Amino acid sequence: EPEVTQTPSHQVTQMGQEVILRCVPISNHLYFYWYRQILGQKVEFLVSFYNNEISEKSEIFDDQFSVERPDGSNFTLKIRSTKLEDSAMYFCASSMARDRGQTGELFFGEGSRLTVL
Amino acid sequence: AQTVTQSQPEMSVQEAETVTLSCTYDTSENNYYLFWYKQPPSRQMILVIRQEAYKQQNATENRFSVNFQKAAKSFSLKISDSQLGDTAMYFCAFMKTQGGSEKLVFGKGTKLTVNP
């Protein structure tokens, strides 16, 4: 069964360093997402991406964050200069386009745990 | 803004018994979707069950069913004949039907343990 894969599963970095989290969505999906979960807190929406551009982003997704789909398969989240509060589990998800008003199910990856020291 | 509240951080149930997980939400939208996602230990979140707000009939998927009370903004999940493999975090989530992307708003989750 196709699934969303994420790498790395765990990354430890120093504050101020750049981090890139990678995701391979399901191949025929058109919508891509990043969510994050700080330990003990809710899973929060960061950004959605469709047709090679950001379709929606939360207020968490500031100028330090960026996303891109460089080669048609990978979907990456870059944090330019990490802060301690960026420590969290980051989940990638993908879905097919909506059809006749039916929402597409989101398929999630296993997550990438980011620890900022 | 929408909010989703899961008031039970942890629950446990004996194998083969029935358990109900609570979820309430707040929204001014009339049309929306509600979901329960399951996240087993060290595994990805998977969709358990989905409910469209315009449908009065409660969704059912095998041993999983919901009690959707739109007026009360309540969306509980009932797991019948609990199995050891049901042990997981369960997240309730909300999605608007309007707008291009499919942004989910999650609750904090309920950790369910099924005991043998």
Side-chain angles (χ1 to χ4, degrees):
Chain A
E1 188 173 327
E3 58 182 27
V4 176
T5 58
Q6 291 186 239
T7 55
S9 55
H10 189 194
Q11 181 156 355
V12 181
T13 190
Q14 294 291 324
M15 191 169 57
Q17 295 296 303
E18 176 183 282
V19 160
I20 297 176
L21 305 179
R22 291 182 169 80
C23 170
V24 179
I26 295 173
S27 60
N28 61 343
H29 284 186
L30 300 177
Y31 287 92
F32 313 108
Y33 310 84
W34 283 100
Y35 286 78
R36 80 171 185 191
Q37 184 181 30
I38 295 171
L39 188 64
Q41 297 188 24
K42 297 183 181 188
V43 177
E44 301 171 292
F45 170 79
L46 291 179
V47 66
S48 59
F49 192 86
Y50 171 70
N51 200 25
N52 286 319
E53 61 183 19
I54 291 173
S55 50
E56 188 174 355
K57 61 182 181 179
S58 71
E59 49 192 39
I60 301 168
F61 195 87
D62 61 22
D63 291 345
Q64 292 300 311
F65 291 88
S66 62
V67 289
E68 63 175 1
R69 197 155 181 256
D71 56 11
S73 60
N74 290 286
F75 177 52
T76 62
L77 174 69
K78 182 193 289 187
I79 309 174
R80 251 179 283 280
S81 177
T82 50
K83 303 187 285 284
L84 295 176
E85 54 264 38
D86 293 329
S87 293
M89 181 73 90
Y90 289 81
F91 294 102
C92 175
S94 68
S95 67
M96 297 186 74
R98 288 185 182 181
D99 180 36
R100 299 175 190 165
Q102 295 294 315
T103 188
E105 176 184 344
L106 268 67
F107 290 79
F108 285 85
E110 291 190 15
S112 293
R113 181 171 297 283
L114 176 64
T115 302
V116 182
L117 303 176
Chain B
Q2 291 76 30
T3 59
V4 177
T5 302
Q6 293 179 250
S7 58
Q8 305 150 314
E10 292 191 42
M11 292 193 72
S12 62
V13 64
Q14 292 299 122
E15 197 175 5
E17 293 188 350
T18 294
V19 64
T20 298
L21 308 184
S22 302
C23 173
T24 58
Y25 59 94
D26 189 25
T27 184
S28 58
E29 302 285 329
N30 191 45
N31 293 317
Y32 47 87
Y33 298 96
L34 295 164
F35 305 85
W36 279 97
Y37 275 85
K38 168 186 175 181
Q39 186 182 33
S42 302
R43 297 295 310 275
Q44 63 264 62
M45 276 190 285
I46 55 175
L47 181 65
V48 174
I49 198 164
R50 165 172 51 208
Q51 175 83 41
E52 289 93 340
Y54 66 86
K55 288 187 178 177
Q56 292 186 335
Q57 186 173 8
N58 288 324
T60 299
E61 289 286 343
N62 301 313
R63 297 181 296 107
F64 298 87
S65 61
V66 298
N67 183 4
F68 173 49
Q69 302 288 329
K70 190 173 184 180
K73 296 180 181 171
S74 170
F75 182 61
S76 61
L77 175 69
K78 185 171 84 170
I79 307 174
S80 305
D81 186 24
S82 298
Q83 299 176 359
L84 296 179
D86 295 335
T87 292
M89 283 291 290
Y90 286 82
F91 294 97
C92 178
F94 171 99
M95 181 191 291
K96 292 193 296 185
T97 55
Q98 300 299 322
S101 72
E102 296 173 333
K103 168 187 164 183
L104 286 165
V105 177
F106 285 92
K108 289 186 76 168
T110 296
K111 183 179 180 182
L112 176 68
T113 303
V114 181
N115 298 309

